[in-house]
Amino acid sequence: MTLVSCRSGGIAESGKSYDSHIWRWTMREFGGKSPAMLKPTMAEVAKASGVSKNTVSLALRGSPRISEATRTRIEEVARNLGYRLNPTVAHLMAELRQNRSPGFQATLAMINANEDRDAMSKHPTVPVYVAGCRQRAQQLGYRLDEFWLHETNMPLARWQSIFRARNIRGAVIVGLMQRNRLPAHLAPLWDEFPALVTGVRTREPALSFACSDQHSLALMAFEKAVALGYQRPALVLDGVIDALIEGRFTAGFLTGQSRLVPVGQRTQPFYDVAAARGDRAIFSKWFAENQPDVIFTLYHEVKRWIQEMGLRVPEDVGLIQYEWRSDHGGWAGMDQRNDLVGAAAVDMLISLVHHNERGVPEHPRATLIGSHWVDGTTVKAASAVD
């Protein structure tokens, strides 16, 4: 017996259009569920929306090729029918897209949140994040339009107007180095467009973010220092940076200290870096009180401070850089791979765009990138440490 498609409405749920024999057969074949209870197909969504299946597929993936009005209408029809994208199919399609060179997909915004307008090209750290963002966006067929968060004469309405006119689908925020809060007047912008942050976690608003796993990094560096034979590791870190990353460097340092160093050999972290730049005696006093044999820091100038005290690196004091950079390749330290952080941020943003997720999330997501140790001449070999 040949039956017309149950899903297309060929069999009425009441069974009145067919004899009782056919209705009992239908209920038996579908496990006691009426056709109306079955999961709808993309074809049904297309039919109900009056568009093609391809249009439905593009709309539900947030493609910029579909107008906002059409996308909203299709999403409403799909929601009313109870249609959901098959996660297995979506994964396979993502794999296929990844294995071919994509054409242009959409435009994203990359917002420089640093106080310096030129930070994306001149800051010691920010350009690495930016390079990772650019490379990943290009690989996936996305264009990045650049903006400066602190641009004068840019009220909220101007931001919204530019984003809409350029059909910008979302924003990745880079360069936060002084605070982890965004301007309150731009809150409606994050409600309208998907956005996330690189490098740090924001508090107001609490957006999803990608950053280095700073706690793990600091703990790994501590373990490496102890393995090299150092007995009095110390931390030199600007208090502003410590607050910006919510103490994760300090937490990793203190965890290593509590696990691996006897109480009598423990040192106190030094946070007055800004003050020490103007008065070196502040650093010298702390050093004399703590007598470290190796220092973890973010600042290459600490090497000069040590040498100005008449000490040698690494013979008298070792130095370990928490953010190893190729322009100071002689240092030992942890490579944060901030380029991978930038790439991860773009991946996360594109996912938000595809799933049409916007607004401040109730539960922000985090992608943490691990670091690895880089040998250098600022520490002694294990056999040479007393």
Side-chain angles (χ1 to χ4, degrees):
M1 179 181 294
T2 302
L3 297 178
V4 295
S5 171
C6 298
R7 295 187 176 187
S8 63
I11 299 177
E13 184 174 355
S14 65
K16 293 179 181 178
S17 299
Y18 295 85
D19 60 37
S20 59
H21 172 75
I22 295 177
W23 179 247
R24 287 194 300 272
W25 182 92
T26 302
M27 295 295 286
R28 183 175 67 252
E29 289 297 309
F30 288 102
K33 296 181 179 180
S34 68
M37 296 171 64
L38 298 174
K39 182 179 178 181
T41 66
M42 186 178 291
E44 289 175 318
V45 176
K47 181 177 180 180
S49 304
V51 298
S52 68
K53 287 200 304 181
N54 185 56
T55 299
V56 171
S57 176
L58 291 171
L60 296 182
R61 287 189 286 111
S63 171
R65 295 164 56 185
I66 307 301
S67 70
E68 183 71 26
T70 300
R71 185 167 60 251
T72 300
R73 178 168 58 84
I74 292 173
E75 288 170 352
E76 183 177 359
V77 170
R79 186 166 52 251
N80 291 338
L81 290 177
Y83 177 79
R84 296 290 185 274
L85 283 174
N86 185 313
T88 301
V89 173
H91 174 73
L92 291 174
M93 292 304 296
E95 289 289 330
L96 290 173
R97 287 192 295 272
Q98 187 175 12
N99 291 330
R100 69 171 186 258
S101 299
F104 174 73
Q105 301 296 314
T107 301
L108 305 172
M110 183 164 59
I111 301 177
N112 171 21
N114 196 273
E115 284 70 15
D116 181 0
R117 178 194 292 271
D118 299 322
M120 291 202 297
S121 60
K122 296 182 178 179
H123 190 275
T125 300
V126 176
V128 184
Y129 292 104
V130 171
C133 289
R134 286 173 175 161
Q135 182 179 27
R136 188 60 174 156
Q138 183 178 16
Q139 288 174 345
L140 298 178
Y142 287 79
R143 185 177 72 196
L144 291 176
D145 281 5
E146 298 178 6
F147 299 86
W148 186 38
L149 186 67
H150 308 287
E151 187 70 67
T152 57
N153 302 318
M154 277 283 283
L156 169 65
R158 179 62 175 156
W159 282 96
Q160 292 173 316
S161 175
I162 292 175
F163 274 39
R164 293 166 185 165
R166 299 185 187 180
N167 197 25
I168 291 175
R169 303 302 309 283
V172 57
I173 300 165
V174 303
L176 285 166
M177 291 292 169
Q178 298 296 320
R179 58 184 62 87
N180 57 3
R181 287 163 171 77
L182 300 175
H185 74 278
L186 292 182
L189 190 67
W190 321 130
D191 289 334
E192 183 175 354
F193 300 93
L196 58 84
V197 184
T198 63
V200 301
R201 180 203 310 259
T202 52
R203 285 292 187 179
E204 297 177 6
L207 299 174
S208 295
F209 63 98
C211 73
S212 168
D213 188 348
Q214 291 124 351
H215 180 277
S216 174
L217 178 156
L219 180 56
M220 289 173 61
F222 203 106
E223 292 169 343
K224 184 65 177 181
V226 171
L228 288 172
Y230 289 106
Q231 300 177 13
R232 297 183 63 85
L235 175 64
V236 173
L237 180 67
D238 192 309
V240 173
I241 296 297
D242 191 52
L244 181 69
I245 63 172
E246 300 170 316
R248 287 189 286 276
F249 278 149
T250 294
F253 170 81
L254 294 178
T255 299
Q257 190 177 67
S258 66
R259 292 178 182 176
L260 302 172
V261 177
V263 174
Q265 295 175 203
R266 295 177 187 176
T267 61
Q268 293 296 315
F270 180 79
Y271 298 117
D272 296 326
V273 172
R277 288 181 175 130
D279 184 0
R280 203 78 77 244
I282 298 173
F283 176 78
S284 299
K285 181 176 183 294
W286 167 85
F287 189 95
E289 292 172 350
N290 288 271
Q291 292 295 311
D293 58 0
V294 64
I295 292 175
F296 307 108
T297 189
L298 288 170
Y299 318 105
H300 295 103
E301 62 194 301
V302 173
K303 183 177 182 180
R304 185 175 71 252
W305 298 357
I306 295 295
Q307 293 169 336
E308 288 174 353
M309 294 166 58
L311 300 173
R312 300 167 299 166
V313 176
E315 290 82 2
D316 300 315
V317 183
L319 293 174
I320 294 175
Q321 171 61 261
Y322 270 172
E323 189 176 18
W324 183 89
R325 300 199 302 268
S326 59
D327 60 345
H328 287 76
W331 277 63
M334 303 299 295
D335 186 354
Q336 295 190 24
R337 290 306 307 268
N338 288 327
D339 56 330
L340 297 183
V341 174
V346 170
D347 285 338
M348 292 177 71
L349 178 58
I350 292 173
S351 177
L352 294 178
V353 171
H354 282 183
H355 291 89
N356 200 28
E357 297 181 39
R358 56 189 79 184
V360 178
E362 182 178 0
H363 303 287
R365 300 170 191 164
T367 295
L368 301 181
I369 302 298
S371 304
H372 66 270
W373 173 262
V374 179
D375 285 318
T377 58
T378 56
V379 294
K380 292 187 285 185
S383 60
V385 180
D386 296 331

